[in-house]
Amino acid sequence: MSIEEELRERSGSQCELCGSNKNLTVFDVPPNEDHSILICDVCNDQISNPEETDPTHWRCLNDSMWSTVTAVQVVSWRMLTRLRGEGWPLDLLDMMYLDEETLAWAKASDTNTAEQEIKHLDSNGEQLLTGDTVVLIKDLNVKGANFTAKRGTSVRRISLVHDNPDHIEGRVEGQQIVILTKFVKKSG
C-alpha cells in the first residue's frame, strides 16, 4: 500500500486539517519527512505561501488540533502560531497540549521564522503581545473619528499588526484604532 493510500484510509479521504475532500495531496511535515499528512490544495497553498494566508480558512484548526495524529498536531500548532496576531488563535494555543518531543518538532522547522522575528516594542523597549494592556503616553488625534485620545488612557486587549512592528490596534472610546507603538507603554 502506498503512502497516499495509507493516508486516504487514515483520513477517510479528507484533508486532515480542514476536512475538504477536493484535490488532496500528500504533505511531508518537516523536518521529519517520514511523517506525512493528507491535505487539500487550499491548505497546501496557504502553508507554502504565508503571504496568501486567509485567517478565516484556518478556523478549522479548532477541530484538527485535537487530532490523534502527531503530524496533524504539529501543522496545527505551526499555523496557529503563524496566525497568533489575529487574536483567536491564542485561545486555541492556550488550550492545545503537545508533549515536549512534539513541541520540539513543531518548533524545529516552523516556516514562519521571519514573522516570529517581528517584535512589537513599546516606548520603553518592552515587548508587546496580543491581549496586553497599554497606556498612551501622549495625546493622539484620531483621524476620521474627530476626537483626541488623551495621555494616560488605558487600551486593553490590544492586537498586533502582524506585518508592521510599529503598529498595534486597540479600542479607544469605542473606536477600533491603529496606534504607533512609540506612543504607548505596557501596563502591569
Side-chain angles (χ1 to χ4, degrees), residues 50-108:
E51 63 280 353
E52 296 178 18
T53 302
D54 173 16
T56 306
H57 173 77
W58 294 103
R59 295 264 184 187
C60 60
L61 296 176
N62 189 40
D63 295 325
S64 58
M65 69 184 237
W66 301 110
S67 173
T68 57
V69 178
T70 307
V72 174
Q73 294 172 3
V74 166
V75 175
S76 296
W77 184 90
R78 289 177 181 173
M79 288 308 299
L80 288 170
T81 301
R82 178 187 294 180
L83 295 167
R84 69 190 174 283
E86 296 294 318
W88 60 265
L90 290 174
D91 294 333
L92 297 180
L93 283 167
D94 285 344
M95 289 188 283
M96 192 172 188
Y97 171 78
L98 299 178
D99 60 49
E100 288 181 31
E101 185 178 323
T102 305
L103 185 58
W105 175 17
K107 289 179 177 179

Side-chain angles (χ1 to χ4, degrees), residues 85 118-123 126-137 140 153-172 175-187:
I118 293 177
K119 292 186 178 182
H120 292 72
L121 304 176
D122 72 359
S123 60
E126 193 166 339
Q127 185 171 358
L128 300 171
L129 303 171
T130 297
D132 281 348
T133 298
V134 297
V135 176
L136 301 180
I137 61 168
L140 301 174
T153 300
S154 183
V155 182
R156 292 176 174 67
R157 298 185 51 88
I158 64 165
S159 59
L160 308 178
V161 176
H162 73 278
D163 59 349
N164 189 336
D166 297 328
H167 293 166
I168 60 171
E169 292 182 355
R171 283 201 175 278
V172 175
Q175 292 280 332
Q176 185 76 9
I177 64 171
V178 175
I179 307 167
L180 293 174
T181 56
K182 65 183 178 182
F183 297 135
V184 300
K185 69 176 182 177
K186 192 170 183 174
S187 178

